[in-house]
Amino acid sequence: MNLLAGTEIIYDDTKVMSASQSGFSSQTSAFQYLSNGTSTTPGVGGNESTWGLSSVFARAAYAYDDKYLASFNFRRDGSSRLDPNDQWGNFYSGSIGWRVDKEAFMQDIKPISLLKLRASLGQLGDQNALSNYGYASLINSNGYYVYGSTPVITSTIYATGNPNLKWQTSTMGDAGFDLGLFNGAFTLSADYYHKITTNLLQNPQEPSSAGTVASPAYENNGKIVNRGFEFEASYRQQVNKDWSYDVTANVTTIHNEVLALLNNQPLAAGRVDNNIFATSTAVGHPVGAFYMIKDEGIFQSPLDVLTHAYQGPGIRPGDVKFKDVNGDGVIDQNDRIYAGSPIPTMTYALTGHVSYRNFDLSLFFQGVRGDKIYNQIATDIEGFYRPFNITKKVATESWHGEGTSNSLPLLSWTDAQNNKQMSTRFLESGDYLKLKNIQLGYNLGSPALNRLKIKSMRIYVSVQNVFTITKYSGQDPEMTTSADAASSNDGPKALNIDWGTYPAARTFTFGANINF
């Protein structure tokens, strides 16, 4: 039996002091000092922010006859970001394993070199989403109030606190096995995982009527589940003294679903226009699911417009047609649907390595399936509502008469209000397969090493982001979030909204590894 106990303390203290001045008579270095500025309102500032994390933990691990394995873990964490009366959380985990291949009845089954069954259950706490004083409302001098005719500096709340915040807790169970055949030449691992996260720390969207001075308080709001399977298989083979190769593949499936929210109230996120949000986190759907009206193609004739649900004044042939989901004869925000998830339902990767004498070649493929991307930048280059550049496809394939297109509307400034609105017209599949890396190397032989008086030398050339196979029309389907989405602090509630994210660069590298 192995026993372990420990403690950890993390403390961070950040102090900031600033000063600024303007109105300098010269830009030369002799005048670079603040006292040489002539402005009567110099800028000064300063603040201090601290946070701390304290933990105690213990672990007990037991192995009997190298066949029966068990472990138990406990940790108690305290965070200064939570109210002093409720800073601590207790988290437990444990695992068991059985080395079946060590049993006597397995000794005559020579092809099996490893067979291990295992299961685990555990908890972890998280408070990283919070600001340093998430439990307290913060006050700052950031405005003026007029008393009579005299403006007076005032103090206002600029960040709202919540003293009832608790640790966000993830509870995960896992069951699986490890199999090895032919002395480890072939290995296979398989797992089923089930993870439930409770007391989700959320920074909610507030209506514009709440004002913009004070940021909203964080809250424990929600319960989500992630479950699925993970598989990894590898095979290695030494063909002869010159040839060898190995291949490793892994596949993970993901089912993400919101199980509960405070007052069952959906959380809008992913702002794409004034008070227009592309995603809704709601019970029964994935986190950050796309929520919008559904396009049904293009109106082809006046009769088509007349017999369809009312979409607004001025609708004509060539405009985008939307689906009347609730059947009330009017297209509006009540016709929105949950149209897809930014979270892939499957991720996969393949790594291969081949060696021939002194040469070696490696490749790494990676891909995803089942996610959606909202191509927000397409509303600019295809929306035709402002004098932006447009693509060749829009210029040459847009609707210009009955039957000419059922996907790209007519080019018209006046019709843009209908045609560019947030809808599944701009929602695309995010599936892709990438060759992420390829590398070719050569190890110098002994004669060359002796002449150079070095121990070893490997010369290599590699290329990253070699190619991408995808139907996504944007620049890079691997994008997850953009600067626009990140600045709104929406986090996972607003993934895969593409504002023109710069794609991953293709990089060529030449190098050498030398040991003297």
Side-chain angles (χ1 to χ4, degrees), residues 245-250 349-355 360-366 433-441 458 461-467:
Y245 65 90
D246 61 80
V247 180
T248 300
N250 62 72
L350 176 69
T351 302
H353 184 267
V354 179
S355 295
D360 62 88
L361 175 68
S362 62
L363 302 98
F364 172 52
F365 294 88
Q366 182 262 334
L433 170 64
K434 286 192 172 190
L435 177 53
K436 298 282 288 184
N437 187 73
I438 181 171
Q439 185 177 108
L440 177 64
R458 179 176 178 270
V461 55
S462 68
V463 184
Q464 293 181 338
N465 297 307
V466 184
F467 65 75

Side-chain angles (χ1 to χ4, degrees), residues 238-275:
Q238 182 74 43
V239 180
N240 52 44
K241 64 183 184 68
D242 293 329
W243 282 98
S244 66
Y245 65 90
D246 61 80
V247 180
T248 300
N250 62 72
V251 177
T252 300
T253 66
I254 307 166
H255 174 82
N256 174 272
E257 183 181 342
V258 178
L259 300 180
L261 286 173
L262 188 65
N263 299 322
N264 206 32
Q265 182 66 38
L267 303 174
R271 176 189 174 278
V272 294
D273 208 337
N274 293 330
N275 293 318

Side-chain angles (χ1 to χ4, degrees), residues 172-184:
M172 181 169 175
D174 182 282
F177 69 87
D178 301 313
L179 173 66
L181 301 176
F182 314 117
N183 294 319

